[in-house]
Amino acid sequence: MQGKGCLFVKNSMFQQTLPTSLQNSLVTKHFSLTSVASSNAVVEFFRARNFRAKRGPFRPEEKRGDHKMMASTHWKIERVLAVSMLGVMPACLFVQGPIMDTLLSITVLLHGFWGVDGVLTDYLEKFVPWIHYPWYLLTIAGLAGLIYFNYNDVGVCEAIKMVWKL
Amino acid sequence: MAAMIRASFGKGSALLTSNAALLSRLQPVVVTQLSHTSTRSQTEDIAYKEMEEFWDKNRRLNRPLSPHLRIYNPELTSMLSLCHRATGIAMAVTVPFVAATLLGLPGDFSSYIEYIKDLHLNPAILTAAKYVLAFPICYHYINGIRHLAWDWAIGFDLKTTYQSGYFVMALALLVTAGFVHLL
């Protein structure tokens, strides 16, 4: 093992001092070499359909996808947006109008998009690799809806006021 | 030159790439690098390969996963974090969904308000609905400040986390009640 550039060894130094039969039995006690079926129906449902998660390790290029921006830069932009929302949210209580409508729509949609995108990347992408596309579509549809709403209808600030007056 | 190459392999490929132009003009140098990694060192490639083989073996042997969610007690830290995520996802999904639906449905927004008014719902139901609408945004905003503080490495120790956690939950409920009953 040592001369092949292998970084992971099977047994610890202590375990290697034990007799071979004991070393082998230590390994087989923990793991079974045949398929182990669990009694959990949900787990078995997914296992039967080979619904495997790709559990990594993930190279940075794999997680980044097609774009070239560094992850830390994206993170910084997310925080800048979040800090800006700290100001926008209370402001919409005092100042309404078409500018505030646009500001609210864009910040909420962008923040929500990146947030859910993060959740998908963390948990769902390993099971369903194409999950980002439906979310992207929903966000675009939402943006279209909000632009229409702010232009042709009362606008989000007025709409919230109307709902609250109910 | 050979010593420089040997040294650069130990420290990563920064030295290698910066001297690449120089090296290419000298005697032919055998540099084994995988095609898609021009800057990553050989050691990292070996590590990735070993880790992939480890997970392939896990899958092949059908090894069970260690229990994680089942064995931990719900703590304030994890429950508040879960609440933050849940409210965030709820709002982030509802806003585009409602906006897209309103885009497709006939009539303008006022007609839908009139429709709800004509239902003559019990005021308690409307108040409850307002709580449901107001709480996610209040809680997510106030806990968001807590999260941003952590991003600047403020208030990270456990005691402060617990104190700020209780404070955030109490304040969120208070502000929600204020929005519902006072506005």
Side-chain angles (χ1 to χ4, degrees):
Chain A
M1 273 299 170
Q2 288 298 328
K4 281 186 190 172
C6 173
L7 298 177
F8 289 84
V9 292
K10 268 204 186 116
N11 284 335
S12 68
M13 293 301 294
F14 167 70
Q15 282 174 311
Q16 282 172 1
T17 63
L18 300 171
T20 320
S21 55
L22 187 57
Q23 282 186 47
N24 292 340
S25 71
L26 278 175
V27 174
T28 52
K29 257 200 188 117
H30 295 300
F31 315 119
S32 157
L33 289 178
T34 57
S35 291
V36 179
S38 82
S39 56
N40 188 332
V42 174
V43 170
E44 289 308 312
F45 175 82
F46 284 106
R47 193 171 279 167
R49 279 147 191 81
N50 210 31
F51 201 59
R52 299 264 190 222
K54 188 190 184 305
R55 286 199 179 276
F58 298 103
R59 294 185 169 83
E61 303 88 63
E62 285 176 313
K63 273 298 180 183
R64 192 172 52 203
D66 287 330
H67 65 85
K68 297 284 176 244
M69 184 186 275
M70 280 191 74
S72 55
T73 313
H74 182 243
W75 187 91
K76 278 181 200 162
I77 296 176
E78 284 182 6
R79 304 306 123 161
V80 165
L81 181 71
V83 170
S84 79
M85 284 176 85
L86 281 184
V88 168
M89 294 305 211
C92 77
L93 294 173
F94 303 104
V95 177
Q96 285 96 35
I99 302 177
M100 186 54 77
D101 287 340
T102 322
L103 212 56
L104 264 181
S105 310
I106 295 185
T107 51
V108 166
L109 271 179
L110 208 49
H111 185 74
F113 173 73
W114 278 333
V116 172
D117 207 54
V119 172
L120 295 179
T121 309
D122 287 345
Y123 304 121
L124 284 181
E125 190 178 76
K126 54 166 95 91
F127 296 107
V128 187
W130 43 263
I131 196 77
H132 291 284
Y133 295 109
W135 174 237
Y136 205 54
L137 272 174
L138 182 62
T139 310
I140 301 283
L143 182 67
L146 280 177
I147 292 175
Y148 178 86
F149 195 75
N150 288 330
Y151 196 74
N152 292 332
D153 214 325
V154 286
V156 292
C157 292
E158 189 58 38
I160 296 172
K161 277 161 81 172
M162 288 164 77
V163 169
W164 226 247
K165 283 203 184 78
L166 278 174
Chain B
M1 196 47 59
M4 204 196 295
I5 299 165
R6 256 178 264 136
S8 70
F9 262 108
K11 291 188 183 65
S13 303
L15 280 169
L16 195 69
T17 47
S18 64
N19 290 315
L22 196 63
L23 286 175
S24 63
R25 267 176 249 137
L26 299 174
Q27 72 267 26
V29 170
V30 176
V31 176
T32 47
Q33 281 180 325
L34 298 178
S35 56
H36 60 278
T37 58
S38 54
T39 53
R40 187 172 296 122
S41 72
Q42 269 197 335
T43 324
E44 289 182 43
D45 284 327
I46 295 171
Y48 270 119
K49 196 160 153 299
E50 290 286 341
M51 285 191 268
E52 277 186 45
E53 286 169 10
F54 172 70
W55 277 105
D56 282 335
K57 189 171 180 183
N58 285 346
R59 271 184 279 268
R60 198 169 17 100
L61 295 177
N62 233 344
R63 286 172 174 169
L65 209 58
S66 302
H68 46 297
L69 291 174
R70 281 176 296 176
I71 58 173
Y72 289 108
N73 274 334
E75 304 281 351
L76 185 75
T77 46
S78 54
M79 290 300 106
L80 286 187
S81 178
L82 179 70
C83 199
H84 191 79
R85 219 159 213 185
T87 51
I89 294 174
M91 289 190 286
V93 168
T94 312
V95 165
F97 187 73
V98 166
T101 312
L102 281 173
L103 185 63
L105 288 176
D108 66 344
F109 190 68
S110 319
S111 61
Y112 292 106
I113 295 288
E114 288 301 315
Y115 176 77
I116 298 177
K117 276 208 189 109
D118 290 336
L119 287 175
H120 295 296
L121 291 168
N122 191 340
I125 298 182
L126 290 169
T127 312
K130 284 186 196 174
Y131 266 102
V132 169
L133 286 175
F135 178 72
I137 197 162
C138 291
Y139 174 80
H140 196 89
Y141 182 91
I142 299 173
N143 204 26
I145 305 175
R146 190 162 160 250
H147 259 91
L148 285 170
W150 289 336
D151 289 336
W152 265 265
I154 299 170
F156 226 105
D157 59 292
L158 200 60
K159 186 162 170 288
T160 315
T161 304
Y162 263 80
Q163 283 176 338
S164 62
Y166 284 122
F167 178 73
V168 158
M169 192 41 121
L171 188 63
L173 288 167
L174 220 65
V175 172
T176 308
F179 273 140
V180 172
H181 296 291
L182 294 177
L183 267 183

